[in-house]
């Protein structure tokens, strides 16, 4: 159907078609700066186009194409960076014929029009170029956000058409309108408002899950929602356990509970500059990074160092639950005890040293 | 979003403040008391960083306020302390057994096909996991919205990461200091003996 149109007016058609992707480019450039303006002079063409789709009439298509050609003639004056685009478009004349139809396809969102769209999208999928994809995606995304904002009341078909009529072109006002529709319905998918809203919600959720996947280490290998949720739960639990572990450690190491600022600035600088746990020779394994942290068990030591001057007792080593009580954790415990003993020893020696001198 | 150094600094300041408030209460007490104090002040500091904008921070503050009202009030002085503490979180009561039974009856009436069953099982699995996530994140029971839940987990994970980073660096610095003094003293001891 469309190829038949090429031969009689091939040159002029290509001209008109060239303006369309250029228009799309223009839209890309101007999308941030626009002011939504009324466009009353659009309506006759749009009505024509809508009628065309309503009837699937060939004559109407021809007339609209001629219209576009006229518009294209008017607009070529105004295009600045048009030359390369035009060159690029010229090379695509074979495919360009589909473009206006595509942009028209963007405009409609009727269930019966879905079939027309699906027809066009089939064709289009063969020849789609990147710019077009970009603009369409941008339009679609913007349209989706708009549609989310505007609520569900705009989703009915009649209202959609009236919206497109009233609504603004996102582009320089010189360019003639292709009002874009909010959501492009894909082939075989329902277009009633519930499923649209659900689809928008699902896409929001999947976007957020992607952020989570970036944040949680090791989440990229697992696919599917359930696996990533599992990893997230494990990660949060391990972080919480680490906080407890570290607070316990701090309580042991720092009996005065002072994190005094002057002291800290020096230590902080040292600690931050390395950005990794400080490797101390005798106890390398206490500083475990998150992925190495044993997820299946939670070892918590309950030491009570009663008084440094008197005999110190290391009372109990208790575990909250130890399903897989591996050698690794035993080793960790041992090292922990060693460090505590070392601390006590050092303080004792210090006092001894003081008493001697 | 990774924890930034600005966040770390703020957290550290608030945590120090909290610990200073706590110190007169806990001098010369046992290790477990001290650990509790540290953890508590760290949690409250972390939650107050968000200034009540996120659900989990409010829930966390409420949880700690039930135990140690005094400290929390002091720490949050100036940042809508009263509103945060007295705010009641919405209660969602659901009797799980009744809901489960009614769901079973409903499912029995429906006619199923294989693909539907598979999809239903997948959905159930995902529901279980989200329930598990709700149990882990503080205040999760009050987030019925999935989108909200994921947003909150994101925020919570970032805050936890800052907390862990700061604590770890302090612990490392303290340990490094101790280790150095221990080595030094060892050398001293040997020189004394000689």
């Amino acid at each position: 159907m469309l190829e038949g149109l090429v031969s009689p007016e091939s040159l002029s058609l290509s001209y008109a078609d060239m303006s369309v992707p250029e228009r799309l480019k223009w839209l890309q450039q101007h999308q941030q700066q626009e002011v939504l303006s009324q466009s009353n002079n659009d309506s006759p063409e749009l009505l024509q186009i809508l009628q065309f789709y309503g009837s699937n009439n060939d004559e109407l298509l021809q007339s609209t194409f001629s219209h576009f050609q006229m518009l294209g003639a008017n607009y070529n004056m105004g295009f600045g960076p048009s030359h390369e685009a035009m060159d690029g478009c010229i090379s695509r004349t074979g495919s360009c014929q589909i473009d206006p139809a595509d942009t028209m396809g963007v405009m409609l969102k009727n269930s019966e029009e879905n079939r027309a769209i699906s027809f066009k999208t089939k064709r289009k999928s063969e020849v789609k170029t990147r710019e077009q994809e970009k603009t369409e995606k941008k339009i679609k995304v913007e349209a989706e956000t708009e549609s989310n904002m505007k609520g569900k009341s705009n989703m009915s078909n009649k209202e959609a058409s009236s919206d497109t009529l009233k609504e603004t072109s996102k582009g320089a006002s010189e360019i003639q309108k292709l009002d874009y529709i909010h959501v492009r319905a894909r082939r075989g998918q329902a277009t009633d408002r519930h499923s649209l809203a659900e689809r928008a919600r699902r896409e929001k959720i999947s976007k957020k899950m992607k952020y989570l996947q970036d944040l949680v280490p090791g989440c990229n290998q697992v696919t599917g929602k359930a696996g990533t949720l599992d990893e997230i739960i494990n990660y949060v639990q391990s972080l919480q356990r680490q906080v407890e572990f570290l607070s316990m450690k701090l309580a042991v190491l720092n009996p005065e509970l002072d994190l005094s600022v002057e002291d800290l600035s020096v230590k902080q600088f040292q600690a931050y500059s390395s950005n990794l746990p400080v490797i101390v020779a005798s106890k390398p394994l206490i500083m475990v990074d998150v992925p190495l942290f044993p997820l299946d068990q939670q070892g918590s030591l309950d030491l009570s160092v009663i008084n440094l001057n008197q005999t110190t007792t290391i009372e109990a080593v208790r575990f909250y639950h130890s399903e897989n009580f591996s050698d690794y954790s035993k080793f960790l415990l041992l090292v922990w005890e060693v460090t505590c003993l070392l601390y006590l020893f050092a303080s004792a020696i210090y006092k001894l040293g003081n008493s001697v001198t | 979003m990774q924890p930034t150094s600005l966040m770390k600094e703020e957290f550290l300041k608030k945590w120090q403040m909290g610990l200073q408030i706590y110190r007169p209460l806990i001098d010369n007490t046992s290790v477990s008391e001290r650990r509790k104090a540290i953890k508590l002040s760290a949690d409250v500091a972390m939650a107050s960083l968000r200034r009540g904008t996120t659900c989990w921070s409010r829930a966390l503050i409420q949880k700690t306020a039930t135990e140690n009202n005094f400290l929390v009030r002091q720490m949050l002085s100036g940042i809508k302390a009263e509103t945060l503490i007295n705010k009641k979180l919405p209660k969602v009561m659901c009797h799980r057994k009744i809901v489960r039974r009614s769901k079973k009856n409903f499912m029995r009436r429906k006619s199923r096909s294989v693909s539907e069953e598979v999809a239903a099982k997948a959905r159930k699995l995902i529901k279980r996991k989200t329930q598990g996530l709700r149990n882990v994140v503080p205040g999760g029971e009050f987030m019925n919205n999935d989108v909200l839940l994921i947003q909150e987990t994101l925020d919570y994970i970032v805050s936890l990461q800052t907390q862990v980073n700061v604590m770890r660096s302090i612990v490392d610095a303290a340990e490094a200091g101790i280790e150095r003094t221990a080595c030094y003293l060892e050398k001293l001891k040997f020189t004394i003996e000689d």
Side-chain angles (χ1 to χ4, degrees):
Chain A
M1 173 173 84
L2 289 175
E3 282 94 354
L5 291 170
V6 179
S7 35
E9 2 179 5
S10 56
L11 284 178
S12 46
L13 244 191
S14 58
Y15 196 146
D17 302 322
M18 274 182 280
S19 62
V20 171
E22 276 170 346
R23 264 180 249 160
L24 292 179
K25 257 194 180 171
W26 205 255
L27 288 176
Q28 252 181 336
Q29 289 164 11
H30 286 261
Q31 255 165 11
Q32 263 105 37
Q33 310 158 3
E34 53 253 19
V35 179
L36 303 186
S37 59
Q38 295 296 324
S39 51
N40 288 325
N41 47 352
D42 297 338
S43 24
E45 284 118 19
L46 282 175
L47 277 177
Q48 266 189 351
I49 293 168
L50 288 171
Q51 278 174 12
F52 153 67
Y53 262 90
S55 58
N56 260 339
N57 203 342
D58 274 357
E59 292 175 351
L60 213 46
L61 176 62
Q62 261 192 11
S63 64
T64 53
F65 269 130
S66 56
H67 213 93
F68 269 108
Q69 162 194 355
M70 256 174 31
L71 303 172
N74 289 340
Y75 290 120
N76 198 27
M77 319 297 180
F79 284 135
S82 49
H83 285 290
E84 304 134 18
M86 275 171 62
D87 290 338
C89 292
I90 289 172
S91 59
R92 292 187 280 121
T93 41
S95 58
C96 275
Q97 57 184 331
I98 304 180
D99 299 342
D102 288 339
T103 49
M104 279 195 282
V106 172
M107 295 168 44
L108 306 166
K109 176 176 78 117
N110 208 341
S111 52
E112 100 184 51
E113 287 152 347
N114 253 352
R115 278 176 258 129
I117 292 174
S118 57
F119 173 64
K120 303 284 183 303
T121 49
K122 249 199 207 169
R123 293 271 209 99
K124 184 176 41 150
S125 56
E126 307 156 12
V127 297
K128 203 165 190 178
T129 63
R130 241 191 216 174
E131 299 170 21
Q132 275 189 328
E133 279 190 58
K134 251 193 266 173
T135 50
E136 279 169 8
K137 275 189 191 154
K138 264 200 184 175
I139 293 161
K140 177 183 169 194
V141 163
E142 284 192 23
E144 273 205 29
T145 52
E146 263 203 46
S147 69
N148 287 340
M149 288 190 305
K150 284 192 182 166
K152 301 177 187 165
S153 56
N154 290 339
M155 291 306 182
S156 68
N157 299 329
K158 289 188 189 165
E159 291 181 1
S161 53
S162 61
D163 270 343
T164 53
L165 285 182
K166 285 184 211 157
E167 210 199 326
T168 73
S169 64
K170 303 186 178 175
S173 44
E174 324 129 20
I175 300 183
Q176 251 231 359
K177 295 0 103 116
L178 301 174
D179 287 5
Y180 294 104
I181 260 201
H182 298 292
V183 178
R184 167 177 281 254
R186 276 176 251 150
R187 178 181 195 170
Q189 287 190 344
T191 52
D192 55 331
R193 51 199 230 184
H194 292 295
S195 37
L196 279 171
E198 249 203 58
R199 210 182 327 148
R201 175 182 158 266
R202 253 181 280 151
E203 283 181 17
K204 247 199 248 175
I205 287 185
S206 55
K207 225 198 309 179
K208 302 251 160 84
M209 297 280 280
K210 276 199 194 136
Y211 285 143
L212 272 174
Q213 272 189 332
D214 291 334
L215 204 58
V216 176
C219 220
N220 302 321
Q221 284 99 31
V222 196
T223 50
K225 265 193 192 175
T228 49
L229 280 174
D230 240 350
E231 290 296 324
I232 291 169
I233 291 176
N234 280 337
Y235 186 61
V236 170
Q237 277 177 336
S238 77
L239 280 178
Q240 285 173 341
R241 267 183 250 144
Q242 269 199 325
V243 165
E244 282 196 33
F245 188 63
L246 285 172
S247 64
M248 163 64 83
K249 216 170 169 188
L250 206 57
V252 168
L253 292 178
N254 205 347
E256 301 90 26
L257 276 194
D258 60 342
L259 313 170
S260 50
V261 184
E262 313 83 45
D263 240 358
L264 270 183
S265 52
V266 174
K267 291 181 190 168
Q268 258 184 354
F269 178 75
Q270 286 173 344
Y272 284 160
S273 61
S274 62
N275 210 20
L276 279 176
V278 174
I279 303 291
V280 183
S282 62
K283 40 189 201 293
L285 286 173
I286 282 195
M287 329 287 188
V288 287
D289 283 330
V290 172
L292 297 178
F293 197 82
L295 291 177
D296 293 333
Q297 52 208 310
Q298 182 176 8
S300 166
L301 312 174
D302 194 11
L303 311 170
S304 58
V305 180
I306 298 178
N307 205 337
L308 292 179
N309 291 331
Q310 300 167 3
T311 53
T312 60
T313 56
I314 298 180
E315 280 183 354
V317 173
R318 268 186 267 137
F319 288 87
Y320 289 135
H321 36 103
S322 52
E323 296 148 12
N324 311 323
F325 197 77
S326 63
D327 294 338
Y328 178 67
S329 60
K330 280 187 202 162
F331 186 70
L332 260 187
L333 270 184
L334 204 62
V335 177
W336 178 255
E337 291 183 35
V338 165
T339 48
C340 296
L341 282 172
L342 203 68
Y343 172 68
L344 298 170
F345 181 65
S347 55
I349 293 286
Y350 181 69
K351 289 197 177 104
L352 190 68
N354 267 348
S355 61
V356 162
T357 54
Chain B
M1 199 172 94
Q2 297 292 327
T4 62
S5 51
L6 180 66
M7 286 201 291
K8 288 187 204 169
E9 274 183 44
E10 282 186 14
F11 169 69
L12 189 63
K13 276 189 212 154
K14 290 229 160 131
W15 190 24
Q16 280 177 353
M17 201 172 73
L19 279 181
Q20 275 173 5
I21 294 176
Y22 239 125
R23 202 186 319 163
L25 306 173
I26 305 196
D27 264 341
N28 295 331
T29 49
S30 69
V31 178
S32 50
E33 282 295 313
R34 272 183 276 151
R35 170 181 66 87
K36 252 196 247 174
I38 289 177
K39 178 154 190 289
L40 201 94
S41 44
D43 282 342
V44 175
M46 185 174 77
S48 67
L49 274 185
R50 289 296 172 215
R51 298 171 180 274
T53 46
T54 53
C55 191
W56 65 264
S57 54
R58 281 174 289 187
L60 196 58
I61 288 180
Q62 270 215 340
K63 261 190 234 172
T64 52
T66 51
E67 306 161 14
N68 308 66
N69 219 341
F70 163 67
L71 167 75
V72 176
R73 273 176 209 274
Q74 283 226 333
M75 276 196 70
L76 296 179
S77 62
I79 321 176
K80 348 172 206 165
E82 300 304 318
T83 55
L84 277 180
I85 293 177
N86 295 333
K87 193 170 180 190
K88 297 273 181 184
L89 293 171
K91 287 205 174 177
V92 176
M93 302 267 294
C94 74
H95 301 273
R96 289 218 189 97
K97 279 192 182 166
I98 298 178
V99 171
R100 230 183 276 162
R101 215 179 296 151
S102 66
K103 273 194 183 166
K104 260 196 214 168
N105 289 335
F106 182 66
M107 293 311 288
R108 224 173 275 157
R109 287 188 211 153
K110 262 187 170 182
S111 62
R112 315 163 221 140
S113 67
V114 181
S115 61
E116 270 187 29
E117 277 193 13
V118 168
K121 276 190 187 157
R123 258 178 275 144
K124 255 193 220 172
L125 190 63
I126 288 183
K127 259 196 181 172
R128 280 239 167 130
K129 302 282 159 103
T130 47
Q131 188 59 40
L133 190 58
R134 284 204 185 99
N135 290 337
V136 179
V137 174
E141 302 90 34
F142 308 106
M143 303 174 207
N144 294 322
N145 202 355
D146 274 349
V147 180
L148 186 66
L149 179 66
I150 294 188
Q151 253 176 342
E152 296 283 322
T153 14
L154 207 60
D155 206 36
Y156 185 57
I157 285 180
V158 171
S159 311
L160 272 180
Q161 277 178 342
T162 40
Q163 201 179 6
V164 166
N165 279 341
V166 170
M167 289 175 96
R168 206 194 268 180
S169 51
I170 288 183
V171 165
D172 293 345
E175 276 191 341
I178 287 177
E179 183 72 7
R180 252 184 276 125
T181 51
C183 294
Y184 176 67
L185 287 170
E186 288 253 356
K187 285 184 200 164
L188 208 82
K189 178 183 145 200
F190 287 133
T191 54
I192 289 177
E193 283 176 359
D194 286 346

